[in-house]
């Protein structure tokens, strides 16, 4: 019966994944962070909330804030500055997070992680709102 047959390569793949020594309970994979660990899942969720804040609030603040109320206002200093620091720290954490390649092998080398990284995340650390405030636009 073709529906119940199991291919040898599927068995080998499953055995390799189980014997890789990495499960969701381990924070580190060699020297890199495990993206499937619950702490990393919470971190990624928090990063998404901060990104959502930036997507909504920064354009609103740039559009509607008066010129006299830019860098000296408490609101940008109390909300945007910590969010900007969080984004920079998230980039550092992302550069230390391993991933699985096409062969289901963990990649933990920093240069390969950097090459595989989404470069929009690198551009996201640019403080566009602070540059607009400083330029006086």
């Amino acid at each position: 019966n073709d529906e119940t047959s199991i291919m040898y390569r599927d068995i080998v793949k499953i055995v390799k994944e189980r014997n890789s020594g990495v499960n969701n309970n381990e924070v580190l994979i060699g020297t890199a962070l495990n993206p499937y660990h619950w702490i990393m899942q919470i971190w990624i969720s928090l990063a998404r909330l901060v990104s959502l804040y930036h997507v909504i609030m920064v354009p609103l603040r740039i559009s509607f804030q008066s010129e006299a109320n830019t860098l000296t206002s408490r609101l940008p200093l109390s909300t945007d500055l910590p969010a900007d620091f969080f984004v920079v720290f998230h980039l550092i954490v992302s550069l230390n997070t391993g991933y699985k390649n096409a062969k289901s092998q963990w990649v933990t080398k920093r240069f390969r992680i950097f090459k595989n990284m989404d470069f929009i995340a690198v551009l996201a650390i640019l403080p566009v709102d602070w540059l607009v405030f400083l330029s006086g636009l």
Side-chain angles (χ1 to χ4, degrees):
N1 189 358
D2 290 332
E3 293 179 27
T4 59
S5 66
I6 299 174
M7 301 296 289
Y8 178 74
R9 66 175 182 262
D10 295 333
I11 294 172
V12 171
K13 182 179 177 183
I14 291 170
V15 169
K16 281 184 180 180
E17 286 177 1
R18 287 187 180 171
N19 291 337
S20 68
V22 176
N23 57 30
N24 292 347
N25 295 330
E26 298 176 9
V27 177
L28 292 176
I29 306 164
T31 59
L33 295 169
N34 182 358
Y36 301 114
H37 192 269
W38 65 272
I39 292 176
M40 284 299 295
Q41 294 295 320
I42 292 173
W43 178 263
I44 291 168
S45 299
L46 186 60
R48 287 180 180 158
L49 286 173
V50 171
S51 298
L52 183 65
Y53 168 80
H54 274 291
V55 166
I56 294 171
M57 291 304 295
V58 170
L60 286 174
R61 190 162 301 118
I62 289 172
S63 299
F64 297 112
Q65 191 171 21
S66 67
E67 293 176 12
N69 214 7
T70 56
L71 292 175
T72 57
S73 175
R74 286 187 177 176
L75 188 63
L77 292 177
S78 65
T79 58
D80 286 352
L81 195 59
D84 289 339
F85 281 125
F86 179 84
V87 170
V88 170
F89 191 64
H90 178 65
L91 179 69
I92 294 168
V93 169
S94 296
L95 287 171
N96 290 301
T97 303
Y99 68 94
K100 280 191 175 184
N101 62 10
K103 296 179 182 178
S104 294
Q105 297 170 338
W106 285 102
V107 176
T108 58
K109 297 190 184 224
R110 302 294 186 266
F111 184 70
R112 287 188 180 170
I113 292 171
F114 179 73
K115 281 176 42 178
N116 190 52
M117 189 172 182
D118 184 17
F119 286 100
I120 293 175
V122 176
L123 293 176
I125 67 168
L126 295 175
V128 176
D129 51 342
W130 296 103
L131 294 174
V132 169
F133 289 151
L134 289 173
S135 70
L137 294 176

